[in-house]
Amino acid sequence: MGKKQPDNSSIYKEMDESLLHFCSLLENEKIDEAFKWQQENRIPLEEIMPNAVDAFNKFKGKRNHRAALQIGLKYQFEPNLINPLYLAEWNRLYKNGQFEDAAQWAKEQNLSEVELRRSSHKAYENYLKEGRVEDAFRVIKNYDIVKEAMLEITLSEYNKAYEENDFLKAAMLGKEFGFSLKRTSLAAIYQTLNDLKTGEFRKAVGIIHDFYLLSDDVFEVIPEEDGKNLVKDIVKYLLEPGFENDKFHLLDDFAKKADLVDRTVDNHLLQALRSAMIALAVKKHNSLLKDGNIKSARSVRKSFFLFSAPVPQKFFVTMLDEAILHHRRLLENGELDEAVKIKNEYGFFTNDLMVEKKDSIVNDAVKLVIRSMENQDFISAKRLIDEYMIPGHLISESVFKSVFDLFRQYHYSDILKIFDSIKLNPDEESIAVNLISVFQKFIEKKEYIYAAEYATKVRLAKSYAHDAALRGWKVFFLEKNFDKALSIKTRFKLPGKMTLETATNMYWNLVDKGEYSEASGIRRNYKVSLSIMQWFKELFNIIFSKNSPAEKDKKSPFI
């Protein structure tokens, strides 16, 4: 057997553990960690420098210039050792075809303009040939490339792309470098037509927007046949299936990016496209409303500006008609909140086209008012009357029917609630007759206070409220419920002359009975006047009353 060779697996075998770990980190390109380790463990610089130089040379030999540079910079190697590595790294990247990386390295390390221009131009050219047009444009922007310097290669790629039916590439180059509008627009149109037919609708919509394809400027320069094809295929492949299959997000995206509905266009083909788009949108809107899908109907209406765009009147009227039908269904189902939204959104009372339809809309609301009254939902009834400006004569019959039903149920306070919610005009003869009938009904039932409140609420002549209040006042006054009687007098502002005679009689009746405290209150509250003789009589009764055993402890009401 031959002589056993020594173990040379590590040139650092005999070093202490700290230095050994430092070297291991260097070998594994963990230069920052190695430097930190050396600092923390206070390894003398003279001990690690031979190993740092060795690692530097090894990385340099393997063309790992960045690792070598990192070591050289950390340990402050001589510039003549470090500086050549910057250019060496650029050469390595360039020779490996990493042209943008080479340009970025040249930019970061402040290499000469030659290296930067050479590598960035090559990166642009390489991306163009690979069809990575957006990356090529990014290089132009990031490295401040003068476009004129790249004109020859760009024009060559532009023509080649056109010949090879790579229309999107041709269109992008044409737009970026300002090549022929006609040829660039045609390339974009041909790409759009391909995308529409293959179902790449988002991409097609993006191209239409990016290249302003639906503009008068473009349609002025392209052949009419190409314009016709674009319009035809947009309708055939995008709009018609989109509306049919409820692709509302796609349609909204198209409407916004095409910007065709709400702006002026002169070209007859674009006008035809807009008309077709509006017709389809209106048709879908009406279908959605008919199905009760108001959310999607709103979306279509908003996306295609159906209330602000130049929508032909014949289409607009169909939208309003369908909105009225939907509104009617909502009212029939008692969905008042949604019905009011529709009324406001579609301008039922503000749109000139709705003038002839207003009576029909109000009649639909009246039906719900009647149902609400029957269900004693007076709040909803009032809201309907206010929202739809319903004239009193249209609902008076229902109102009075509900009122007399409540009379039979003795629900007098609910009757007042009706007239809190609903205001009828007492100047209309037919209404006035019924209003007075209700008043008389309260009087018949001797509900005088309700009658007075009612007369006030419905704005009957003041005499009605005073007559009822006086009757109620007398009931309480004669029952000696003087506090209640006084509150009625005050509340309904009964004139003193209406209560004076009764109050005066009550005053003397109380005096005769020796009830001087209450008599005094009557005199003060009702301003009962006394003659000199009556004053003496009252005083005489009071004096004798004070001397009686029963009255000795009572305080004089006149003090």
Side-chain angles (χ1 to χ4, degrees), residues 422-439:
I422 300 168
K423 304 300 181 185
L424 299 178
N425 185 1
D427 295 331
E428 294 184 28
E429 186 177 350
S430 61
I431 292 176
V433 170
N434 283 308
L435 289 174
I436 292 171
S437 295
V438 174
F439 175 82

Side-chain angles (χ1 to χ4, degrees), residues 237-449:
Y237 294 107
L238 178 63
L239 295 178
E240 289 180 343
F243 281 115
E244 184 177 347
N245 297 307
D246 298 344
K247 303 292 186 181
F248 300 123
H249 290 300
L250 174 63
L251 293 169
D252 180 66
D253 190 38
F254 173 72
K256 289 176 180 175
K257 290 182 176 177
D259 188 26
L260 185 63
V261 181
D262 201 33
R263 65 179 166 90
T264 302
V265 290
D266 297 323
N267 183 272
H268 69 283
L269 291 174
L270 293 177
Q271 291 174 347
L273 175 59
R274 180 171 63 191
S275 296
M277 188 188 316
I278 290 174
L280 289 167
V282 169
K283 181 180 178 182
K284 187 63 180 181
H285 165 272
N286 293 348
S287 174
L288 291 166
L289 267 189
K290 188 173 183 179
D291 293 338
N293 189 348
I294 182 61
K295 182 178 179 181
S296 296
R298 283 190 179 109
S299 175
V300 171
R301 193 185 71 210
K302 181 180 178 182
S303 295
F304 290 89
F305 303 96
L306 296 184
F307 271 14
S308 60
V311 178
Q313 183 171 326
K314 64 178 182 179
F315 290 140
F316 198 79
V317 169
T318 66
M319 290 174 57
L320 295 179
D321 287 342
E322 198 59 57
I324 291 172
L325 292 174
H326 180 66
H327 174 263
R328 180 175 299 157
R329 289 189 292 270
L330 290 171
L331 289 179
E332 288 171 352
N333 294 329
E335 299 179 54
L336 179 54
D337 288 340
E338 282 301 316
V340 170
K341 285 182 183 178
I342 294 296
K343 172 184 74 74
N344 294 335
E345 287 177 18
Y346 288 84
F348 283 3
F349 292 165
T350 57
N351 194 303
D352 292 340
L353 295 174
M354 299 295 285
V355 174
E356 296 180 358
K357 305 174 188 294
K358 183 177 178 180
D359 288 346
S360 172
I361 295 166
V362 170
N363 287 333
D364 290 337
V366 166
K367 292 176 183 177
L368 183 56
V369 171
I370 293 171
R371 292 211 319 271
S372 299
M373 296 289 294
E374 289 172 350
N375 295 326
Q376 298 183 17
D377 181 2
F378 306 124
I379 294 176
S380 294
K382 180 184 186 317
R383 185 181 176 197
L384 282 159
I385 293 166
D386 293 342
E387 287 282 359
Y388 293 87
M389 297 177 285
I390 298 175
H393 69 272
L394 293 180
I395 57 169
S396 60
E397 182 179 345
S398 174
V399 169
F400 291 115
K401 180 180 181 300
S402 295
V403 166
F404 288 111
D405 285 344
L406 291 170
F407 266 119
R408 285 190 288 273
Q409 300 169 40
Y410 304 99
H411 292 176
Y412 304 128
S413 61
D414 287 339
I415 294 174
L416 297 184
K417 288 179 182 177
I418 290 179
F419 294 102
D420 279 334
S421 304
I422 300 168
K423 304 300 181 185
L424 299 178
N425 185 1
D427 295 331
E428 294 184 28
E429 186 177 350
S430 61
I431 292 176
V433 170
N434 283 308
L435 289 174
I436 292 171
S437 295
V438 174
F439 175 82
Q440 291 170 341
K441 193 75 173 176
F442 276 121
I443 297 297
E444 287 173 14
K445 292 183 175 292
K446 298 183 179 180
E447 295 291 344
Y448 303 124
I449 306 307

Side-chain angles (χ1 to χ4, degrees), residues 21 108 193 271 306 457 477 518:
H21 184 65
E108 290 174 355
L193 295 176
Q271 291 174 347
L306 296 184
K457 286 182 186 296
F477 191 80
E518 291 189 339

